[in-house]
Amino acid sequence: MDWLSRLTGNKGSSTIVRTSGKEIEVSCSASADRALAERDLPLIVEIELAFACFARKQVHFHETSTSKNIVEVNEKLALQITTIIPDTCEVTTKAKSTARVTVRNFMPKWVRIDCVKGKWVGEYGL
């Protein structure tokens, strides 16, 4: 994701956060660091792993969160780790709304965040 930044010498930042006895490496590109510095409130990065008929990995970006399961990375960035396990093998809004949510069984090993043309993008690995 940030190979061009690294090639040109703009390495960005990397932080290790610890939660539930696990370490997560959070890397931001140089452009993400600049965009975060301009924010008044922290950006909430939701790391979602959903199990239904297949596993789905997604990264969502939020301005605020109602979840109590927030892991602060720094004053401008926080992680919200969500696992969705529906009771049925349906990929619908109804199935998602009735899903059980837990944070204990799933922790990513790394998260990468970038800001490309004003839009947040991210990925993570298990």
Side-chain angles (χ1 to χ4, degrees):
M1 175 178 354
D2 58 347
W3 65 271
L4 185 57
S5 293
R6 290 176 190 251
L7 183 64
T8 59
N10 297 325
K11 293 185 180 181
S13 64
S14 181
T15 305
I16 302 288
V17 293
R18 289 174 181 78
T19 183
S20 299
K22 305 267 181 163
E23 290 186 348
I24 304 170
E25 180 183 7
V26 180
S27 301
C28 293
S29 69
S31 62
D33 283 338
R34 286 189 297 273
L36 286 169
E38 294 176 5
R39 296 180 59 85
D40 293 328
L41 297 173
L43 177 68
I44 308 297
V45 180
E46 180 184 8
I47 309 302
E48 179 186 273
L49 181 61
F51 296 98
C53 301
F54 56 90
R56 180 186 75 228
K57 290 173 38 179
Q58 291 185 319
V59 178
H60 305 282
F61 297 91
H62 306 289
E63 297 299 317
T64 61
S65 176
T66 57
S67 175
K68 295 177 184 174
N69 299 315
I70 299 293
V71 179
E72 184 178 309
V73 176
N74 58 43
E75 66 278 354
K76 299 287 185 166
L77 185 65
L79 298 179
Q80 176 182 327
I81 301 167
T82 306
T83 304
I84 297 174
I85 305 170
D87 292 328
T88 62
C89 189
E90 296 178 41
V91 185
T92 65
T93 306
K94 182 180 178 187
K96 186 172 180 177
S97 67
T98 61
R100 296 183 310 270
V101 178
T102 181
V103 294
R104 289 186 207 132
N105 299 329
F106 158 64
M107 287 292 158
K109 292 187 185 206
W110 54 265
V111 178
R112 292 191 183 111
I113 301 165
D114 199 359
C115 187
V116 179
K117 297 181 182 178
K119 300 234 183 223
W120 294 104
V121 294
E123 62 181 348
Y124 69 88
L126 301 174

